[in-house]
Amino acid sequence: MSKEFRPWKIDEVQLLPPSVQDYVPQDHVSRLIVSLVKESLDLSAILVPTIGEE
């Protein structure tokens, strides 16, 4: 079974809702978590393609 991840694009505009961020208040803790993941967390270990896949 192949393993594929869709790229994470938190700021990508979607059909409904126009943006996921529209539903999250400015002072919500989830914005801090998103910021930490985007700026500080090294995801390279799980984003490395598996052997034999391109």
Side-chain angles (χ1 to χ4, degrees), residues 1-5 49-54:
M1 178 171 25
S2 68
K3 174 181 86 171
E4 290 187 33
F5 293 99
T50 55
I51 298 173
E53 292 185 21
E54 293 184 24

Side-chain angles (χ1 to χ4, degrees), residues 13-54:
V13 177
Q14 300 176 7
L15 182 60
L16 293 173
S19 171
V20 173
Q21 304 260 351
D22 290 346
Y23 287 114
V24 181
Q26 283 296 117
D27 60 345
H28 195 274
V29 70
S30 65
R31 290 189 183 268
L32 172 64
I33 295 168
V34 166
S35 176
L36 290 173
V37 169
K38 285 175 73 174
E39 299 170 9
S40 303
L41 193 61
D42 179 14
L43 300 176
S44 62
I46 63 171
L47 296 177
V48 174
T50 55
I51 298 173
E53 292 185 21
E54 293 184 24

